């Protein structure tokens, strides 16, 4: 595997389910990001981790819970979601958070909340 | 408030018909301006980074330029495979936080 991978690619869940999205980067980077991409809206940054420490939380509802066990893996735990949470969730990584650095994106997880 | 605005929202071109996409930004302390390409159902693919006004970068049929208020992505003699959504994003001082524009959907017809 190369670059940034995400699983699953598609997910359908009910409002009462609990699920997790997984992201893995094979680039040796120290920073990882979660973004939400909804139709007709710009990409929105959700969370940023730098060396496994959360450094940015963009006022995201608590029904989204990130986890970064090491610098290569990032999870987004989902529970009690709403239909408006349906979107493409993108993971990205960069060499560092502390200076301007190219972010490389994964293919995304298409989430549908029923 | 930091803002990035892209225009037009959509662009239909004939193969070979050159055009330009605009990205205007109001970001204080700009540290970098990124261009990405996104195909349907996929993640954004990095194209260019521009750091200072006057800078230009080229890749195949694409050329990106930067002024103090906006950036342009010029597509020269496009081919159908250039059809995609093109995203620009700005980074300001302190941290690597990208503020994205809404994107321009480009369709190149043969």
């Amino acid at each position: 595997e190369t670059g940034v991978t995400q699983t699953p690619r598609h997910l359908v869940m009910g409002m009462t389910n609990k699920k997790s999205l997984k992201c893995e980067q094979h680039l040796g980077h120290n920073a990882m990001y979660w973004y939400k991409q909804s139709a007709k809206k710009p990409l929105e940054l959700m969370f940023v981790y730098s060396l496994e420490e959360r450094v940015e939380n963009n006022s995201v509802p608590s029904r989204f819970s990130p986890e970064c066990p090491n610098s290569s893996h990032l999870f987004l735990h989902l529970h009690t979601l709403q239909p408006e949470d349906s979107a493409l969730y993108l993971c990205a990584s960069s060499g560092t958070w502390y200076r301007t650095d190219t972010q490389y994106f994964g293919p995304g997880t298409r989430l549908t909340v029923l | 408030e930091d803002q990035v605005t892209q225009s037009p929202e959509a662009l239909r071109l004939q193969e070979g018909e050159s055009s330009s996409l605009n990205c205007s930004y109001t970001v204080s302390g700009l540290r970098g301006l990124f261009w990405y390409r996104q195909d349907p159902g996929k993640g954004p693919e990095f194209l260019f980074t521009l750091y200072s006004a006057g800078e230009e970068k080229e890749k195949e049929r694409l050329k990106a330029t930067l002024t103090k208020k906006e950036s342009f992505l010029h597509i020269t003699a496009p081919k159908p495979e250039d059809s995609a959504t093109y995203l620009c994003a700005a980074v300001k001082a302190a941290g690597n936080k990208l503020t994205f524009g809404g994107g321009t959907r480009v369709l190149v017809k043969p």
Side-chain angles (χ1 to χ4, degrees), chain A residues 12-23:
Chain A
V12 179
M13 58 186 290
M15 292 168 61
T16 57
N17 291 159
K18 289 184 181 181
K19 296 286 185 183
S20 295
L21 311 184
K22 178 183 175 183
C23 173

Side-chain angles (χ1 to χ4, degrees), chain A residues 27-72:
Chain A
L27 300 169
H29 287 165
N30 289 327
M32 296 188 77
Y33 309 75
W34 278 119
Y35 286 88
K36 176 182 179 182
Q37 189 173 35
S38 307
K40 306 290 186 184
K41 291 178 72 174
L43 268 158
E44 301 171 73
L45 180 65
M46 300 175 72
F47 301 103
V48 182
Y49 277 83
S50 175
L51 292 169
E52 302 131 55
E53 178 186 351
R54 193 189 310 179
V55 294
E56 187 88 4
N57 177 345
N58 256 16
S59 304
V60 179
S62 59
R63 58 186 182 269
F64 295 91
S65 175
E67 178 190 1
C68 187
N70 55 63
S71 59
S72 298

Side-chain angles (χ1 to χ4, degrees), chain A residues 33 37 56 97 100-101 103 106, chain B residues 31 36 38 41 43 95-97:
Chain A
Y33 309 75
Q37 189 173 35
E56 187 88 4
W97 161 249
T100 305
D101 198 19
Q103 294 182 26
Chain B
R31 295 292 293 273
Y36 287 85
Q38 187 174 24
N96 196 31
K97 182 175 179 178

